[in-house]
Amino acid sequence: MSEKISKHSSKTLVEQLMAWILRKIDQNEWPAGTKLPSQRALAELLHVNRSTVVEALDELKAEDVLESRQGSGVFVKQPFSTIYHNRPVDWRGRMTNSHVEANVHTIQLINEYETKKHVIRLGTGELSPELIPTAQLQRLMHTSYLTNIDLGYSEPKGNEALREAIVQRLKKRGIETSKDGILIVSGALQALQLISLGLLEQGSHLYFDAPSYIPSIPSLQATPLETPINRLKKGILYTVPTLNNPTGQTMNEHERIQLLQDASKRGIPIIEDDVYHDLSFESSPKALKSMDTTGQVIYISSVSKTVSPGLRIGWVVAPTPVIERLADVKMQLDYGSNALSQHIVTRLLSSDDYDDHIQQLRRELKKRADYTEHVLMTYLSHIAHWQSPKGGFYIWVTFKEPIVTKSLFLRLLKRNVLINPGYVYNPRDLYSLRISFAYCTNEQLRAGLQILAEEVSGDSPPLR
Amino acid sequence: MSEKISKHSSKTLVEQLMAWILRKIDQNEWPAGTKLPSQRALAELLHVNRSTVVEALDELKAEDVLESRQGSGVFVKQPFSTIYHNRPVDWRGRMTNSHVEANVHTIQLINEYETKKHVIRLGTGELSPELIPTAQLQRLMHTSYLTNIDLGYSEPKGNEALREAIVQRLKKRGIETSKDGILIVSGALQALQLISLGLLEQGSHLYFDAPSYIPSIPSLQATPLETPINRLKKGILYTVPTLNNPTGQTMNEHERIQLLQDASKRGIPIIEDDVYHDLSFESSPKALKSMDTTGQVIYISSVSKTVSPGLRIGWVVAPTPVIERLADVKMQLDYGSNALSQHIVTRLLSSDDYDDHIQQLRRELKKRADYTEHVLMTYLSHIAHWQSPKGGFYIWVTFKEPIVTKSLFLRLLKRNVLINPGYVYNPRDLYSLRISFAYCTNEQLRAGLQILAEEVSGDSPPLR
């Protein structure tokens, strides 16, 4: 990479690092006032020793390019020549006071460390690369013929053939609708954003049953459901009744009927997130949407958990006026969904290939789930408990003591093990964590869980 | 289509239509309280006479399934059996009081009529299907090999190879940055949403120079710039300095320097939308971003205008902390961009194919622009004026009288001609409209402009 530091250059490492920093400043990637990455992060990024970083930073401070601010780090200094002419943009102030909160720090770290290859990702909610049907998708790509119409802007509700294919798939789930009652979205998360923007009355809330992955999306400004639903006055309830993320639990039919009745009494809409259903190891109860007699359920699903998240294709089923409203909001956000993915997913869902893939995937996930439970038994059964998974990706492991703290999270990160701690899903929960059996190889799972066991039982080797 | 009405059925058309409506109600696509489409819309959708619709609706009213409400239309009635048990969801109230306003009515009609094949689209801001390099894109699709890593969730900033390819392209535009200073988005509109959500202080505004297409996106809550920029206290300025949408105008170098200085004095960031630059017929001034000495410019571009909007790929260039913030917000909105499109666009931008395509596209657009001006001269030169286009898609036609009203828009729609009236871009402008030479065939352009000329000069044939 041209921007990395080379040991074979005629310049010293310190000189190269200084040049690299000056280039960032000259190119305005780091304008005046920018806080530099930490010494550790710079050293890691550029594969140099920390002492090299310290020396380069000291030189640039002496040259009045950088400045230290007590207790808060190293910043790019305002060049003297511009002080009287220009006011640098106060980016940090703007970010702090903008409409959307930043992801919480733990989530940011998870997003960051998920891109590092050497990290063992014990909680990742994503199919392992080898479980993605890459060859099938590739074959579809290589045999697809797009018209130039396909490559224009999408219809507001999305590709018509895809919506027809989804109508047929929904029939198997007991849901009757037509293509007019379906909106194509860029994954289930976008569906939630559209609902939050387009259907939530000002001053009311998107409610969720904790624990839920929803609090990890601060921009949704969702709130845990703390009153019985039949006392709610307004708002919308979000739920994953089948193979919940993060707990893996499934509501039984009685609970579903009760939920629908309670919500119906108050005219409260329910968002049913059904993305894990196809990954059930055993038959699962009917979808809420299939029992909905008043049009109160908004059903969402996607191919992100079953085929590939990179396709960014999900869908929403709701009464037609609701679908039209959400389509209007989507047009305002991104002018519709991606043509290539819609075309590929249409062909996939219209063929038996999808069913074959799902059957094989279920078998593979079941094997991984069994192995993971076996390892959990070995390392953690004396201090934690969990339920055997009935499908999906997750085992929700709960310790007897409140030990799943940010400190544990960071200690594990230092040992290159990334966990999804319970407090991300429910701020009060320091007992639990989400283990995913979908992502890691067996070897990684065993190694990662062993390190976790060492850290929680306090007999870990000294930190490197 | 299974859901259409057939003349060869054993049932009468009225019976079939009644069954169709009842199915919509049973499937909860039209729950209690839903307003039905107008008689005209139903007749058009199902290819039946309006008298058939009237008869079917009357029957269903007699059966207590539907009800008329004075002056507001026909609605689905609450079934008697459920009146005491359930409260239907008040969808309409929720939509009205939600966070995002609906698109204005004219924009909704434009979105709707743009999907109808028989309509002449005089203002469409989109490449004509035959100008999209479908064969090139198809070849890339048929020769692309994805790894299963590609098909996982994207990195927050987007595909690394794509960002590298964009770094190289930006060099030709005089902009120096590294891949860390780039974020991949689903088109330029999404970039604006991310900036509005992630960088705009509460209570401040996204400003634009009217006329602009920005007011057609109500969720941005943007506001026209009415004070000189050097008096602004906060906010962010959005501008299309090269080949503006809708006017086609380009700021000269002096104006650019002035704008940068004025904004810099107040620490006001500028969003430079450069999506039309590659379509300039002659050399155009330097990008604002290439003259930016303080990191105040956020640069956005995409392949939507130059290659295909269906790919949904755009990019943002900004100081690294800004890019990281926007990437964080994007992860909250849709978990990143589409893998297939990112892969295809990487290959396209890395090859000379892109340059060849652009050269050919420019020549073709220039031919179309010349033809369009020729037709405008023929039909409208006595009552309107405009500037010869210097590239892009648009000619901004301004009449001597304020005749570009919603009434004109609707009259033209009745004659299957869709225009983009000036009031969509500036509510006070009833003089102008945006003509696009990029979309229609020559025949459609001539026919559409002739009908426009008839309507504005009042010597139109009686309405059909």
Side-chain angles (χ1 to χ4, degrees), chain A residues 178-460:
Chain A
S178 76
K179 67 178 166 49
D180 298 330
I182 294 177
L183 171 69
I184 307 300
V185 289
S186 303
L189 174 58
Q190 186 178 55
L192 285 182
Q193 292 288 358
L194 297 176
I195 292 165
S196 168
L197 288 169
L199 294 177
L200 202 60
E201 313 99 306
Q202 303 260 12
S204 80
H205 295 284
L206 191 64
Y207 292 98
F208 60 89
D209 276 312
S212 165
Y213 84 102
I214 290 294
S216 73
I217 320 285
S219 65
L220 285 173
Q221 298 180 359
T223 185
L225 181 69
E226 281 167 349
T227 35
I229 184 165
N230 56 15
R231 299 231 185 107
L232 281 186
K233 292 233 173 80
K234 44 187 192 168
I236 300 183
L237 178 69
Y238 170 83
T239 183
V240 188
T242 306
L243 300 168
N244 180 41
N245 175 5
T247 63
Q249 290 207 326
T250 294
M251 257 182 226
N252 65 34
E253 190 160 339
H254 175 73
E255 290 165 330
R256 288 172 193 239
I257 292 168
Q258 193 63 47
L259 175 64
L260 282 170
Q261 281 178 354
D262 288 349
S264 176
K265 273 183 200 136
R266 310 295 309 193
I268 301 285
I270 297 173
I271 303 167
E272 175 179 31
D273 183 342
D274 204 34
V275 292
Y276 295 98
H277 166 264
D278 281 359
L279 306 177
S280 303
F281 300 153
E282 41 202 77
S283 74
S284 59
K286 286 197 272 185
L288 290 174
K289 183 72 191 163
S290 71
M291 302 189 270
D292 172 22
T293 56
T294 60
Q296 72 186 106
V297 177
I298 302 175
Y299 176 94
I300 60 187
S301 191
S302 85
V303 294
S304 298
K305 303 303 180 185
T306 50
V307 182
S308 148
L311 296 169
R312 306 309 309 127
I313 296 288
W315 49 92
V316 186
V317 185
T320 311
V322 172
I323 288 298
E324 280 165 5
R325 168 67 170 156
L326 298 178
D328 185 278
V329 177
K330 177 155 166 72
M331 288 302 273
Q332 295 191 41
L333 291 193
D334 64 9
Y335 283 135
S337 285
N338 181 284
L340 304 184
S341 281
Q342 289 190 85
H343 189 86
I344 302 284
V345 175
T346 304
R347 290 190 59 203
L348 184 67
L349 292 184
S350 309
S351 78
D352 294 338
D353 284 5
Y354 177 78
D355 306 86
D356 295 345
H357 160 69
I358 290 295
Q359 282 202 5
Q360 200 187 326
L361 179 59
R362 263 192 226 129
R363 277 196 301 270
E364 188 56 39
L365 285 172
K366 179 76 173 86
K367 262 195 261 172
R368 285 168 177 247
D370 290 345
Y371 179 78
T372 306
E373 259 205 282
H374 163 74
V375 180
L376 283 171
M377 288 298 286
T378 313
Y379 291 124
L380 295 176
S381 58
H382 57 299
I383 48 171
H385 60 91
W386 60 87
Q387 292 191 343
S388 285
K390 298 197 166 68
F393 289 1
Y394 310 118
I395 301 179
W396 186 241
V397 175
T398 303
F399 290 90
K400 293 173 184 163
E401 307 287 333
I403 53 174
V404 187
T405 57
K406 185 152 181 197
S407 155
L408 175 69
F409 174 80
L410 293 173
R411 267 157 36 224
L412 285 165
L413 215 49
K414 285 220 171 111
R415 299 185 69 185
N416 290 322
V417 173
L418 184 62
I419 60 166
N420 286 43
Y423 64 78
V424 165
Y425 307 103
N426 177 2
R428 297 180 198 164
D429 184 350
L430 297 176
Y431 291 83
S432 309
L433 55 80
R434 178 180 93 176
I435 297 292
S436 163
F437 48 82
Y439 193 79
C440 286
T441 61
N442 283 353
E443 294 67 37
Q444 287 175 325
L445 252 172
R446 174 175 287 275
L449 287 174
Q450 185 172 5
I451 291 172
L452 171 66
E454 284 168 12
E455 286 293 336
V456 296
S457 52
D459 54 349
S460 56

Side-chain angles (χ1 to χ4, degrees), chain B residues 9 49 59 102 118 141 154 157 165 168 171 191 235 264 280 313 337 359 373 386 402-404 436 444:
Chain B
S9 164
N49 289 329
E59 289 269 1
H118 60 284
M141 245 176 91
S154 171
K157 290 186 188 175
Q168 300 310 318
K171 281 204 176 116
S264 177
S280 303
I313 296 289
S337 287
Q359 282 202 5
E373 258 205 283
W386 59 88
I403 52 175
V404 187
S436 163
Q444 287 174 325

Side-chain angles (χ1 to χ4, degrees), chain B residues 80-336:
Chain B
F80 184 75
S81 64
T82 67
I83 281 179
Y84 298 103
H85 302 300
N86 299 307
R87 231 173 71 177
V89 176
D90 175 19
W91 290 117
R92 200 153 295 270
R94 285 169 189 273
M95 292 175 199
T96 314
N97 299 315
S98 70
H99 295 258
V100 170
E101 282 176 63
N103 261 318
V104 293
H105 186 233
T106 298
I107 300 286
Q108 287 182 337
L109 285 172
I110 291 174
N111 286 341
E112 183 189 339
Y113 278 81
E114 281 191 343
T115 65
K116 303 196 182 207
K117 293 203 177 64
H118 60 284
V119 169
I120 297 182
R121 296 156 58 173
L122 283 183
T124 292
E126 184 176 343
L127 285 179
S128 166
E130 67 267 24
L131 296 180
I132 291 177
T134 308
Q136 274 181 41
L137 292 172
Q138 189 104 300
R139 197 172 63 237
L140 289 172
M141 245 176 91
H142 287 180
T143 57
S144 279
Y145 289 87
L146 296 168
T147 68
N148 30 27
I149 302 292
D150 292 331
L151 289 162
Y153 284 105
S154 171
E155 278 187 63
K157 290 186 188 175
N159 183 314
E160 196 171 316
L162 176 54
R163 287 183 285 133
E164 287 287 2
I166 289 167
V167 166
Q168 300 310 318
R169 289 275 159 198
L170 287 168
K171 281 204 176 116
K172 300 187 186 164
R173 189 81 178 104
I175 298 169
E176 295 286 340
T177 188
S178 76
K179 66 177 167 46
D180 298 330
I182 294 176
L183 171 69
I184 307 301
V185 290
S186 303
L189 175 60
Q190 186 179 53
L192 286 181
Q193 292 287 357
L194 297 177
I195 292 165
S196 168
L197 289 169
L199 295 177
L200 203 59
E201 314 98 305
Q202 302 259 11
S204 80
H205 294 285
L206 192 64
Y207 292 99
F208 60 89
D209 277 312
S212 165
Y213 84 101
I214 291 294
S216 73
I217 320 284
S219 65
L220 285 173
Q221 298 180 358
T223 184
L225 181 68
E226 281 167 348
T227 35
I229 184 168
N230 55 16
R231 298 225 186 112
L232 280 186
K233 293 233 173 82
K234 44 188 193 169
I236 300 183
L237 178 69
Y238 170 83
T239 182
V240 188
T242 305
L243 301 168
N244 179 41
N245 175 4
T247 64
Q249 290 208 324
T250 293
M251 257 182 226
N252 65 35
E253 190 161 338
H254 174 73
E255 291 166 330
R256 287 172 194 239
I257 292 169
Q258 194 62 48
L259 174 63
L260 282 171
Q261 281 179 355
D262 288 349
S264 177
K265 276 185 199 131
R266 310 297 309 195
I268 300 286
I270 298 172
I271 304 168
E272 175 180 30
D273 184 341
D274 204 33
V275 292
Y276 294 100
H277 166 263
D278 281 359
L279 306 178
S280 303
F281 298 155
E282 42 203 76
S283 74
S284 60
K286 286 195 274 185
L288 291 173
K289 183 71 191 163
S290 70
M291 302 189 272
D292 172 23
T293 56
T294 59
Q296 73 187 103
V297 178
I298 302 176
Y299 176 93
I300 60 187
S301 191
S302 85
V303 294
S304 299
K305 303 302 179 184
T306 49
V307 182
S308 148
L311 295 169
R312 305 310 308 127
I313 296 289
W315 48 92
V316 186
V317 186
T320 311
V322 172
I323 289 297
E324 281 165 3
R325 168 67 171 154
L326 298 178
D328 185 277
V329 177
K330 178 155 166 71
M331 289 302 275
Q332 296 190 40
L333 292 193
D334 63 8
Y335 284 135

Side-chain angles (χ1 to χ4, degrees), chain A residues 150-165:
Chain A
D150 291 331
L151 288 162
Y153 284 105
S154 171
E155 276 187 63
K157 289 185 188 176
N159 183 312
E160 195 171 317
L162 176 54
R163 287 182 284 133
E164 286 288 1

